[in-house]
Structure formats: structure tokens, C-alpha cells
Amino acid sequence: MILGCPNQDADHIFPLGILDHSQNIDSLLYCNFGWRARGIFIDVKKQDLPTPKHNIFFGHLLTLKTYIDKLPKDAHPFIAFGQMARNFSGGIFYLDMWPFMDPVLMCTSATAAIETTQKTVLATKKPRSLESWFIPIAGGPNLFTMEEDDWRFWRNTFNPGFSQAHIMKLVPSIVHEVKAYQKLLLEYSEKKEMFLLDEVTLWFTMDMIGAIVLLDSKRTKNPLAVALLSQLRWKLSEQELNPLKRWNPIRPIVEWHNSRQMNNYIGKELDKRYQDYLSKIKRGDNVRSNSVISLVLEGYLKQSQSKKPSITLEKRFKSYATYQIRTFLFAGHDTTSSTICYIFYLLAKNPVAMDKIRHEHDNILGAELDAAPKVITENPQILNQLTYTFAVIKESMRLFPAASSIRQGVEGVSIRDDEGRTYPTGNTMVWILHQAMQRDPRYWAQPNDFIPERWLAAPGDPLYPVKGAWRPFEFGPRNCIGQGLVMIELRIILALVIRQFDVRDAYEEFDRLNPRSGGIVMVEGERAYQIEGGGAHPADRFPCRVSLRKQGAL
């Protein structure tokens, strides 16, 4: 069966998206959208499909509020949605969040997630409503939001740069950037002061991904980084339910300025690299380079092989290349920073795991800390021997995934839960809640405990992970193109940092210095609960103290 309107003559529901001030919708059309959105849930009820108690005027907003009221004010929304999911045995339910988003089919079922992303036509379909969120970040059509044909072209253009072989060529550049991060942590350890690790690490990961994408080692606070981080801060303000923040008239001006800054910076880099390429071709030199921006230009030159290359980049190609580079800079720095913070947080809380990872680094990389960068640079394949380190990273991502995933439902297409029950996807967005699924006791023994050993367990072991229940990078054709790069980056960071420093959260101290007037500051026992910040980030940006580890200490 297909979810539809009370009037079955209506052939579709116009995507509502996340409504903002930039959409010139008159009141009559706005009400018509609302009537149609609410109407879908009349059909849901008739079909006896799982959904919370529905209000014809407020949809499920009041139901959501009862969950949000039990959480800290800044807690990430997917925490509330995940808690709602516990009321539905199949892990799937329909949710009416109009006017803030399209009708949603929430999913915490591993079986349904596999069908959505790998086994049905939904696998390559992204909701059009995502565009309103990503356009200020990317500037235009990008790998997150493109229709299938355009997406396949650009995905194929970038795939060679994210192959395992190419990633290994980037290891020296990553090691160089991580050594700068070491120096930064050393400075904080000498100052003996509390600081916000997530903010510091965000600038570091921006430098690191900038070096990889642009092969540009300029340090923090260059115009591109400043503009992108400013864009994120202003973009997140529109997610507020407070209309004064959501529809701030200054926001479109700031977003336009930031976008112009990013486009100018990347555009100049593209033009400069392209002219270098033309000069090398004229001289007969090798044009190969390790940077992502060079891959873009190589793809452009391949397109032009049947004709003489143009003196300048074609305007449309340059624009689309800029959108993809902005997307990589956003995705490549944001979630990596969050993951680094949570790894430090979890290892400090689990000293046995900390001892194991440090022993592994001593055994594989040698006991001399200063020699580790050279060991890794000269033999990048040695990182593959850090199996416990890899397990620590995966377990940290399981407990604190940086994002969820979403696909556009299609009329006539249904997905099944673990028990074989079917759920129509027509006129909905299918939202796969990674955070809830990755702590679901149906799939995980001791789901809230940090147990890296589960990633080393053999089939048949109670700890052995259930297929499809770990999804930080998603699966299927639209999985994360950069997942191999992220895993190498994180292994290098841990290999060079974890034996040198002790990083401990300073939430108690932070709360004494910044008292809240009442309110909740914990989520299911975690002070470092996740908040929204592009991807999900630790609360209050992870206040911490860093100290040099005593040599020889475990």
C-alpha cells in the first residue's frame, strides 16, 4: 500500500523541506502543504502503521516535546527521536514534524536500513529538502544532494583519490599535520589550563583536510577556514525553534559573504593549479599530484582530450568543482574532530583499554616516541597492523556516531523490519538513526559499554557485531567516499598522540565556572552528550586538561 492524502486523486506530496525565510510561500500555499502533510497521517492510522499519538493541529510536535523536556536544552535532536523509537518493537515508526521537515519514516532496524541503502531504489535517492541545508555549506549541487546522474559523474571523478593506494600516498602529509597538532597539545599542557578540545581540534582538522584537498599547508584562520566555520555557526542557528534565531534577517547577508569568500579562495586555487597544469603539459612534465584538487583538474583534462584544452577553466565546471571541494572541506573536518574528542574521552574513562592501545603502539611502532612519525612515513602499511587501535576507533564511532543518514521514499516501495513487517515509504523521508541503532540491545551485547574487543571477536562470540548495525559511514552506493581516509587519519593521530599525552575531560571544573540555573546536564549518565554542530559534537565542546604522560607509565 502507498501512503497518500485523504484525497487519493492527489498524485504526490510536494516536498516540504525545512522551511526558512528564503522560501516565498504565500499563506494559502503554506496551509495547503500543512493540510497535505497532516493528511498523510490519517492514512497511516487507517493502515494501522506504527506512529505516536497524532494531533491534527500539531502533528507529533507535542509528543516530541515530552522527550526533549527530559534532555538538556542543547542535546542533539536524534537523541529524542532514538528514545521515541524504543516504544516501537520493529524499530520503525512514522513521524509528523511539519512545518520543520517532511513526513518521516524513522528507522532503527538493521534489516530495514540495509534494504533502504543497498537493496532498493531508495539507495541512491536523497530528499530534495536536503538542498536547503547544504546549499549554504557547499554553494550548489554537491555529492550529498545531487540527482543520480550528476552524482555518479562526480563520484567517479573523485573515487581514484580515495582509493587505498592513493590514501597511502597522503600519509606523509597527514603525519606533517598531526605533528602540528602534537605541538599545539604540548603548548596547552605547558599552560596547565582548561580549554575546549573540540574547538582546537576543529581548526586542526580543517588544516589537515585543507592540506589533503588543496595540498595547502597554510595554518589556521586562513579566509577559507574562517568563512566555512562562520557559515556553519550561522547555518545551525536556523535549526533553532526560536523564530528570532531561525529567521534572523542578517543570516542571508552573512551566508552570501561567507560563500563569496569561499568561492573566491577556491576559485583562485583552481585557476592557479590549472595554469600550472597547462605549463607542465606544454613542457611535457608529469602532471600527477596527490591533492584532491589535482584530481578534479585531471578529470577536466580527460574530458578535453578530444580537443585542445581551453586557456581557462570552463565556468560551469569550475563552479561545480568548487561545490564539491567545499563539501569535502566541511565533511572532512567536522566529524573527524568530534570522533577524536570522543576517543580521548572514552579511553580516559577506560584505563585498561588505554593500556592496551599504548602497548600495541610500543610493540608495532617501537618504544621511542620521537621515531614514530618517521616509522609511519617510511612504511605507511604498518598502520594496518594497529588492529586494537582500529577497534578503539570503531567502538568510539559506535557509541558516538557523528551523523545519521536519510533517503527519499518512493511510492510503491516498502522496507521490512527484522520480523518481516513491511512499511510503505511513499511521501516520506526514511531517516536511519545511527545513534539509536548502534546502542540497541537487539544488536549489541552490553550496548552502552565501551568494549573495543567486540571488533576482534570471532563469529559466534556474543560480542560479535550484527551485520548492518554499525553504520557511521553508511553502506551502499552513497556511502561516505572518505571513510578510508578518515580511518587512516585517526590511526595516525592516535599513534602519534596517545602515548605522549593524558587527555581528561574537565566537565566538573567547567560546570563550577559556568553554573547553569537549573536544568538537565546529563543524557543517560553521559555529561559529554552529543549536541548539534554540523555533525554531532560533545557537549560544551569538550572542556579538558592535557598533561604530558610520564615516560614508562602505563
Side-chain angles (χ1 to χ4, degrees), residues 273-291:
R273 305 298 172 84
Y274 185 59
Q275 293 305 316
D276 288 345
Y277 262 52
L278 293 181
S279 297
K280 288 179 179 179
I281 291 173
K282 188 175 181 179
R283 296 193 304 266
D285 295 344
N286 183 10
V287 298
R288 296 290 298 178
S289 173
N290 288 338
S291 69

Side-chain angles (χ1 to χ4, degrees), residues 86-334:
R86 297 171 187 170
N87 297 321
F88 301 93
S89 60
I92 303 179
F93 64 101
Y94 295 87
L95 199 62
D96 179 2
M97 294 297 296
W98 187 85
F100 298 103
M101 63 178 70
D102 295 352
V104 182
L105 180 55
M106 292 289 186
C107 173
T108 64
S109 160
T111 299
I114 291 170
E115 291 200 346
T116 299
T117 59
Q118 296 172 261
K119 295 186 176 181
T120 66
V121 296
L122 310 183
T124 58
K125 296 187 177 298
K126 293 291 190 79
R128 279 191 286 168
S129 55
L130 280 181
E131 293 177 6
S132 67
W133 201 97
F134 274 105
I135 290 300
I137 304 300
N142 57 83
L143 285 172
F144 279 116
T145 64
M146 281 176 169
E147 295 291 339
E148 187 169 350
D149 288 344
D150 284 340
W151 164 77
R152 286 192 185 281
F153 169 81
W154 285 101
R155 177 81 181 218
N156 290 334
T157 297
F158 286 111
N159 272 337
F162 293 94
S163 67
Q164 189 68 15
H166 186 77
I167 290 170
M168 287 302 175
K169 295 178 183 178
L170 298 173
V171 166
S173 178
I174 298 171
V175 168
H176 175 76
E177 296 299 322
V178 175
K179 288 173 71 175
Y181 186 55
Q182 280 181 294
K183 183 178 179 181
L184 193 59
L185 293 179
L186 180 61
E187 290 173 1
Y188 277 105
S189 71
E190 292 172 346
K191 292 177 184 177
K192 301 184 185 301
E193 64 181 32
M194 179 178 65
F195 66 101
L196 303 183
L197 182 64
D198 191 41
E199 287 190 359
V200 170
T201 307
L202 272 171
W203 285 108
F204 153 63
T205 53
M206 177 65 78
D207 284 341
M208 183 167 61
I209 193 64
I212 291 168
V213 172
L214 299 171
L215 212 62
D216 182 353
S217 294
K218 292 179 181 176
R219 297 263 58 86
T220 57
K221 311 273 173 101
N222 69 60
L224 177 60
V226 170
L228 178 56
L229 292 176
S230 171
Q231 197 80 324
L232 274 171
R233 286 192 296 270
W234 279 88
K235 183 63 194 170
L236 291 171
S237 72
E238 81 169 46
Q239 307 306 311
E240 299 279 353
L241 297 183
N242 182 339
L244 295 179
K245 293 183 178 180
R246 185 178 176 85
W247 289 290
N248 187 331
I250 301 299
R251 181 167 63 84
I253 299 172
V254 175
E255 288 183 348
W256 173 84
H257 175 74
N258 287 335
S259 190
R260 188 167 179 267
Q261 291 285 100
M262 287 187 278
N263 289 347
N264 286 342
Y265 190 101
I266 295 170
K268 289 177 182 178
E269 288 294 324
L270 280 167
D271 289 337
K272 182 174 70 175
R273 305 298 172 84
Y274 185 59
Q275 293 305 316
D276 288 345
Y277 262 52
L278 293 181
S279 297
K280 288 179 179 179
I281 291 173
K282 188 175 181 179
R283 296 193 304 266
D285 295 344
N286 183 10
V287 298
R288 296 290 298 178
S289 173
N290 288 338
S291 69
V292 172
I293 197 171
S294 296
L295 292 171
V296 175
L297 296 175
E298 286 175 24
Y300 178 75
L301 290 171
K302 286 179 182 178
Q303 285 186 331
S304 307
Q305 281 181 351
S306 60
K307 58 182 180 180
K308 184 178 179 180
S310 59
I311 298 175
T312 59
L313 285 170
E314 294 175 10
K315 185 176 180 180
R316 186 175 186 275
F317 185 92
K318 183 176 175 181
S319 294
Y320 270 68
T322 299
Y323 304 152
Q324 310 324 311
I325 291 170
R326 284 172 59 170
T327 301
F328 281 126
L329 291 172
F330 159 65
H333 92 283
D334 186 77

Side-chain angles (χ1 to χ4, degrees), residues 315-522:
K315 185 176 180 180
R316 186 175 186 275
F317 185 92
K318 183 176 175 181
S319 294
Y320 270 68
T322 299
Y323 304 152
Q324 310 324 311
I325 291 170
R326 284 172 59 170
T327 301
F328 281 126
L329 291 172
F330 159 65
H333 92 283
D334 186 77
T335 56
T336 304
S337 172
S338 172
T339 301
I340 292 168
C341 292
Y342 278 118
I343 291 172
F344 286 140
Y345 173 69
L346 290 165
L347 285 173
K349 290 177 63 177
N350 295 271
V352 172
M354 179 69 89
D355 290 348
K356 287 183 178 181
I357 194 172
R358 285 171 169 168
H359 275 303
E360 178 175 78
H361 294 172
D362 285 344
N363 292 336
I364 303 298
L365 303 174
E368 182 60 46
L369 302 188
D370 292 340
K374 184 179 180 181
V375 170
I376 295 170
T377 299
E378 293 181 350
N379 181 20
Q381 297 295 337
I382 201 170
L383 295 168
N384 294 327
Q385 298 179 39
L386 301 178
T387 55
Y388 191 77
T389 302
F390 190 64
V392 165
I393 294 169
K394 293 193 74 171
E395 184 70 348
S396 301
M397 287 182 166
R398 180 185 72 83
L399 290 170
F400 294 102
S404 297
S405 64
I406 196 164
R407 298 291 184 270
Q408 179 60 52
V410 174
E411 291 188 6
V413 177
S414 296
I415 55 177
R416 295 173 301 160
D417 65 18
D418 300 355
E419 305 299 324
R421 290 167 292 205
T422 60
Y423 304 82
T425 67
N427 296 325
T428 72
M429 301 186 298
V430 182
W431 187 351
I432 302 169
L433 290 169
H434 296 178
Q435 194 267 353
M437 190 184 306
Q438 293 179 179
R439 288 179 179 250
D440 195 320
R442 292 178 297 172
Y443 308 126
W444 306 96
Q446 300 171 252
N448 294 317
D449 293 341
F450 179 69
I451 309 175
E453 287 74 15
R454 73 174 83 242
W455 300 104
L456 305 173
D461 189 306
L463 288 175
Y464 189 74
V466 171
K467 180 182 178 181
W470 187 85
R471 319 186 65 84
F473 298 111
E474 205 39 272
F475 293 101
R478 296 196 78 148
N479 64 351
C480 175
I481 191 174
Q483 58 186 291
L485 175 62
V486 171
M487 286 301 196
I488 290 295
E489 289 173 340
L490 291 172
R491 271 178 275 187
I492 293 173
I493 292 165
L494 293 180
L496 299 188
V497 170
I498 208 71
R499 290 184 293 170
Q500 184 177 6
F501 300 101
D502 286 317
V503 181
R504 298 190 180 279
D505 77 78
Y507 278 111
E508 289 188 9
E509 180 181 358
F510 180 86
D511 289 340
R512 286 197 304 271
L513 296 173
N514 302 275
R516 300 190 188 186
S517 55
I520 302 166
V521 296
M522 303 281 280

Side-chain angles (χ1 to χ4, degrees), residues 58-70:
F58 297 103
H60 292 126
L61 295 176
L62 296 179
T63 301
L64 178 63
K65 184 178 184 299
T66 63
Y67 288 89
I68 289 177
D69 287 346
K70 298 175 183 177

